[in-house]
Amino acid sequence: MKVLIVSHYFWPESFRINDMAAELVAQGCEVTVLTGQPNYPDGDIFPGYRALSIRRERHPAGFDVVRVPSHPRRRGNASNLARNYLASIVNMAVLGPYLLRGRRYDVVFVYATSPVLHALSAHVVATIQRAKLVTWVQDLWPESLEVTGFVRNPQVLGAVRRLVSWIYRRNDLLLAQSEAFARTIRAMAGDTPVKYYPNPGEAAFSAPPDRSQPPALTLKPGFNVVFAGNLGTVQSLDTVIDAAELLRNRPGLRFVLVGSGSRLEWLKEQVAARRLENVELPGRFPVTAMPALFEQASALMVSLVPSPIMDQTIPSKVQAYLAAGRPVIASLNGEGARVIEEAGAGIACRAGDAAALAQAVLDLADMPADRRQVLGDAARRFYDNHFEPAMLSRRLIGMFEELTRAAPLSAATRLKD
C-alpha cells in the first residue's frame, strides 16, 4: 500500500500524524509526506529549515518528507496566519505534483486540522495521481469559525459551508475524530461515506515513563490536579481558576496547569490578583516529559467551553490521560464526557460550571486511594481497546485496502453533484 500523507503540520512539529506515519510504515506501507516548513507553535521557522526552500528529507522511521515553501506564522498577527495557510495550500497544490513526479500512490490521506482547506491541495494531487482521496477531519468548518467569533457574517459562513461541502463530496472516504463529528459531516458530504476514526494516543504515552532520568518537573506532596496542553480560549480556564478559588482553603490540594498559550499571561494575572496559592503555572515541557509528570498526578483534568462544536470534540489530551492510567476529571459536555464515563475512568461534570468542577475535584480527593486506582486501571484498559496506535493503524490500512479494491476511478476524478 503506497500512501501519500498531506498535512499542514508535521515533524519536527508535535502532532498525532507524526506517529501515525511511522506506524503505517511499521505495518508495511510505503509512505511519503507532503508538508511545509516547520514553524508551529512559536511561529518561527525551525533551525535548519528555510521558509522559501524546497526540501526533501528522510524521516528516521523510514519514509520521505517533501517540503514546500511556507510563510511563517509568527505571533499575534492574523494576516500572517492567513498567509501561512494560503501559502501552504497553494504551494502544495502547485508544487506538489511536480515534486512527486515519477511516484504513484494508492491513497492520498489528508490530516485535516483547521482549516480543512488543505484538502484542496490533496484533491489536486489525487486527481493527477488517480488515487483514492481520504480526509481525516479534525475540526468542523464553518462551525469553528462561528464559535470562535473569527467570522460572524452569515453570508461568509454560508460560502464557507458550501466550499467545505464541495471538498467533502470530492473524497472517496471521510474520517471523523468523534461520533458527533461524523453525524455533522454526513449532513454535508452527499454520498461520500463517513466513518468514525478517533485520534490514536501518542507513542510517547503508550510506553511507561523513562525512569533512567529524573522527571522534568517534580510535583509537591498532596493532591495534585494536573492540566497539560494548550492554555487557550476554548479550554475554559476561567472555570478552572474559579474552581481553584472555591477550593483555596483545602490543605494540600493544588491545580498544576502545564503548558503555554494565548491565555497564559491572563492566568498569571488572575493567580496574582486572587492570591491563589493552590495554582501553579510551571510552563511548557516536551511531550517526552509528560509520562513522568502524569505518573505523579493525583488526577488529570481536561476542560472545554460549553458550545455546540466543543461538545462534539474529543480533546486529544483525553487519549494521553487515559494512557497514563490516572483518574480523569472532565469538565466537558458531549463526546469528551461520554468517553470518560464509558471508560469508567473518572468524573465528568458540566462544562463551564466552576462549582461542579470543584465538587468533582473534592469527590476524587476524598475517594479512597484504592478506588482511584480502579479508575486509573479502567482508563488504561479503555485506551488499549480504543486508542492504541498500532491497532488503529491496522484498522486504517484495512479501510484503505477496501477502497482500492472498489471502483478503480477515484472520487477526485469523478464529477460529483
Side-chain angles (χ1 to χ4, degrees):
M1 178 65 62
K2 297 180 180 180
V3 180
L4 173 67
I5 296 174
V6 176
S7 178
H8 184 49
Y9 303 107
F10 198 69
W11 164 85
E13 298 166 321
S14 182
F15 283 85
R16 287 290 197 279
I17 192 62
N18 302 349
D19 288 341
M20 174 169 285
E23 188 59 48
L24 288 175
V25 171
Q27 300 280 350
C29 293
E30 295 182 32
V31 172
T32 305
V33 178
L34 179 63
T35 188
Q37 308 298 324
N39 65 114
Y40 181 91
D42 293 331
D44 299 318
I45 300 296
F46 281 33
Y49 296 85
R50 292 184 295 115
L52 299 182
S53 69
I54 291 173
R55 179 175 176 135
R56 302 174 189 270
E57 56 190 316
R58 188 73 173 170
H59 189 277
F63 57 88
D64 292 331
V65 181
V66 178
R67 298 187 184 273
V68 300
S70 299
H71 187 286
R73 299 165 62 95
R74 299 193 173 94
R75 293 188 181 184
N77 189 320
S79 64
N80 273 329
L81 185 59
R83 291 189 185 101
N84 172 259
Y85 288 137
L86 183 61
S88 177
I89 294 165
V90 172
N91 287 334
M92 285 188 195
V94 174
L95 298 175
Y98 173 75
L99 296 173
L100 298 168
R101 67 192 184 281
R103 305 189 187 202
R104 287 292 175 263
Y105 300 99
D106 302 303
V107 174
V108 176
F109 179 57
V110 187
Y111 180 61
T113 55
S114 189
V116 72
L117 302 180
H118 282 86
L120 289 169
S121 308
H123 172 67
V124 173
V125 176
T127 299
I128 294 171
Q129 287 274 337
R130 298 179 73 83
K132 302 295 184 179
L133 180 59
V134 180
T135 296
W136 189 18
V137 181
Q138 297 289 315
D139 196 12
L140 295 177
W141 271 41
E143 290 84 355
S144 286
L145 295 174
E146 188 172 11
V147 74
T148 59
F150 191 76
V151 175
R152 300 183 185 275
N153 186 292
Q155 285 73 35
V156 174
L157 291 170
V160 172
R161 180 176 295 276
R162 289 189 292 274
L163 175 59
V164 171
S165 178
W166 187 93
I167 293 171
Y168 286 168
R169 290 164 186 258
R170 266 65 192 175
N171 277 261
D172 294 281
L173 175 64
L174 293 164
L175 303 179
Q177 63 113 306
S178 76
E179 294 280 13
F181 266 38
R183 291 190 292 271
T184 299
I185 294 167
R186 286 188 186 103
M188 301 172 62
D191 61 356
T192 301
V194 181
K195 295 183 180 181
Y196 167 54
Y197 185 78
N199 285 313
E202 293 183 69
F205 297 107
S206 297
D210 179 6
R211 305 188 195 285
S212 65
Q213 300 292 331
L217 175 67
T218 300
L219 301 182
K220 297 174 184 176
F223 192 86
N224 292 289
V225 179
V226 174
F227 174 103
N230 183 44
L231 302 174
T233 56
V234 302
Q235 277 72 40
S236 196
L237 298 170
D238 52 339
T239 303
V240 175
I241 289 296
D242 288 345
E245 188 167 27
L246 291 171
L247 298 174
R248 66 189 310 160
N249 295 322
R250 173 69 180 244
L253 191 153
R254 67 184 59 83
F255 292 78
V256 184
L257 310 183
V258 179
S260 62
S262 61
R263 301 211 77 189
L264 178 58
E265 291 306 315
W266 177 86
L267 281 169
K268 292 178 180 178
E269 293 169 0
Q270 290 296 309
V271 169
R274 304 191 199 192
R275 299 180 180 178
L276 297 176
E277 297 181 0
N278 62 342
V279 176
E280 296 182 1
L281 301 167
R284 190 174 73 200
F285 295 86
V287 170
T288 52
M290 291 299 104
L293 174 58
F294 289 173
E295 188 178 48
Q296 301 174 64
S298 307
L300 298 167
M301 178 178 62
V302 54
S303 59
L304 287 177
V305 296
S307 77
I309 186 171
M310 293 299 113
D311 294 353
Q312 298 180 61
T313 300
I314 302 174
S316 59
K317 64 169 58 67
V318 166
Q319 287 90 329
Y321 287 179
L322 294 172
R326 308 302 297 155
V328 180
I329 298 170
S331 178
L332 304 171
N333 297 332
E335 285 292 292
R338 178 191 63 79
V339 168
I340 299 304
E341 291 173 340
E342 183 178 337
I347 299 175
C349 61
R350 293 183 302 277
D353 188 331
L357 175 55
Q359 187 60 55
V361 172
L362 282 177
D363 288 345
L364 266 184
D366 293 337
M367 190 179 290
D370 59 346
R371 175 56 186 157
R372 287 200 299 268
Q373 186 61 51
V374 169
L375 298 178
D377 292 344
R380 180 66 200 206
R381 282 196 303 273
F382 195 86
Y383 172 85
D384 289 338
N385 291 332
H386 294 83
F387 301 120
E388 196 277 323
M391 176 270 294
L392 284 175
S393 291
R394 289 191 293 271
R395 179 180 161 197
L396 182 64
I397 292 169
M399 289 188 281
F400 289 167
E401 290 174 342
E402 183 179 352
L403 272 181
T404 57
R405 288 195 298 266
L409 194 61
S410 72
T413 58
R414 294 197 302 266
L415 181 63
K416 301 184 80 178
D417 295 332

